[in-house]
Amino acid sequence: MTAEAVVVCGVGAALPSRSVSNTELTTRLDTTDQWIRSRTGIVQRYVAGSELSTSDLAVRAARQALACGGTEKAEVLVVATTTPDRCCPAVAPTVATRLGLTGIPAYDLAAGCTGFLYALATAAGLIAGGTARTALVVGADRLATLPDPGDRATVPLFGDGAGAVVLRGGSANEAGALGPVILGSDGTGADLIRASRPSALRMDGADVFRHAVDRMSTTAREAAAAVGWSLGDVDRLAPHQANSRIISFVARRLGVREDRRLGNVAEVGNTGAASIPLLLADAAAQGRLRSGHRTLLTAFGAGLTFGAVALTWPTLPAHPPFGRKGPGHDQ
């Protein structure tokens, strides 16, 4: 049976326990706390040790999301990641089995920092098409492992983490229903953000900035229009947490007031595919994102990839502690 709409009904997040401050980075990089803050808005980031894998983070975020949604089950699992535990096999089947979901369809998806929105769209399509009634979508990355350890331009940007949402079939007029997911790519910019074994991550900052602001703003406008919103209708903007300058420029271009912008980049840095779901979980836990808020998500990542989607935030049936201070940390 096909679903009339696809609805968000649970959210969760996980972070490593170890935070790395800008001051700590200055002991090994030619930089200062002020230089990092002024250019990125980042104060600290969480970094996983060798004992904590991408799949570990994904499992923890997924468990929180399932608990929040009042269920232990999902009929499909999609994990968005740039940093799987191994090249092969994928992370998702391992995560599914650890969650007690052996046998369900489970697969990875790689679309850089836009990966969560790509995964959201594919999982929503499976529900809408009748393949599954519920889905678990996880964004998980250990991006702190990718830069050259001596590169002051990239090391301060990235942190590790995971975020997850639970989806179910529902009606188009209920809170939590997803609008059309606007997605795009542009391979002419593939070299702007790049990493390959054994090469470290490299990024052409000025071009990335320009493309990110343009693409995130454009797709956000399209996503709002797709559900009949004007930008003035938006209560909360939840952009990919790349850096504070990109976030600020996107918000200003869209005309979204500062008090309507969600952000945690200062505390967690750029966590890749985990960025948006981790932000949603964090904001919900802190009361910055509440039931009924018309919420606009937008992202940009390597590929180049970009996307956006609109939804009215649901009333969640359970509300465990998320993010920085909750059980998503390794104990």
Side-chain angles (χ1 to χ4, degrees):
M1 180 181 296
T2 59
E4 176 188 344
V6 177
V7 177
V8 173
C9 60
V11 63
L15 290 166
S17 59
R18 180 175 176 247
S19 63
V20 177
S21 67
N22 292 345
T23 301
E24 181 176 340
L25 291 183
T26 65
T27 64
R28 57 185 177 86
L29 294 173
D30 181 19
T31 189
T32 66
D33 173 55
Q34 180 57 35
W35 190 92
I36 297 171
R37 289 185 190 227
S38 64
R39 286 161 176 78
T40 71
I42 298 170
V43 177
Q44 65 171 28
R45 69 289 298 147
Y46 289 86
V47 176
S50 59
E51 76 289 348
L52 191 65
S53 66
T54 295
S55 59
D56 291 331
L57 291 167
V59 167
R60 294 178 185 191
R63 282 181 177 148
Q64 279 201 354
L66 290 168
C68 177
T71 183
E72 296 180 351
K73 302 295 183 182
E75 295 183 359
V76 65
L77 168 65
V78 188
V79 176
T81 185
T82 302
T83 58
D85 297 348
R86 297 171 285 184
C87 292
C88 182
V91 166
T94 297
V95 173
T97 292
R98 290 176 61 183
L99 293 170
L101 302 176
T102 299
I104 70 168
Y107 57 93
D108 289 4
L109 187 153
C113 297
T114 319
F116 173 74
L117 293 184
Y118 270 71
L120 195 70
T122 62
L126 293 174
I127 294 174
T131 298
R133 291 168 296 181
T134 59
L136 182 57
V137 180
V138 182
D141 268 318
R142 294 181 70 242
L143 294 185
T145 64
L146 295 185
D148 181 328
D151 183 7
R152 75 169 189 168
T154 56
V155 168
L157 291 175
F158 298 107
D160 303 332
V165 298
V166 178
L167 305 177
R168 62 168 173 82
S171 62
N173 60 359
E174 68 177 300
L178 293 172
V181 185
I182 309 300
L183 299 174
S185 70
D186 181 0
T188 64
D191 288 339
L192 297 183
I193 308 170
R194 59 204 183 274
S196 60
R197 293 182 176 89
S199 301
L201 182 144
R202 298 293 180 187
M203 186 165 58
D204 298 337
D207 284 339
V208 168
F209 179 89
R210 176 174 58 84
H211 279 285
V213 172
D214 288 344
R215 305 294 194 174
M216 289 171 70
S217 302
T218 298
T219 54
R221 289 179 185 276
E222 293 175 5
V227 294
W229 296 352
S230 73
L231 291 172
D233 294 329
V234 175
D235 296 309
R236 294 293 183 267
L237 176 65
H240 164 53
Q241 301 293 288
N243 67 55
S244 61
R245 292 182 65 242
I246 289 174
I247 295 165
S248 180
F249 269 74
V250 169
R252 290 206 298 268
R253 186 168 291 189
L254 295 173
V256 177
R257 300 195 317 250
E258 187 169 356
D259 63 335
R260 297 187 176 189
R261 307 172 194 172
L262 299 177
N264 61 358
V265 70
E267 292 85 12
V268 303
N270 181 343
T271 56
S275 173
I276 287 180
L278 202 162
L279 174 64
L280 296 176
D282 203 7
Q286 296 185 29
R288 293 179 292 148
L289 181 58
R290 298 188 298 276
S291 177
H293 277 154
R294 290 161 294 190
T295 306
L296 189 56
L297 321 180
T298 183
F300 171 88
L304 301 171
T305 61
F306 34 90
V309 68
L311 75 155
T312 300
W313 194 249
T315 300
L316 298 177
H319 217 276
F322 301 121
R324 295 189 297 275
K325 295 180 181 179
H329 285 68
D330 50 316
Q331 303 297 323

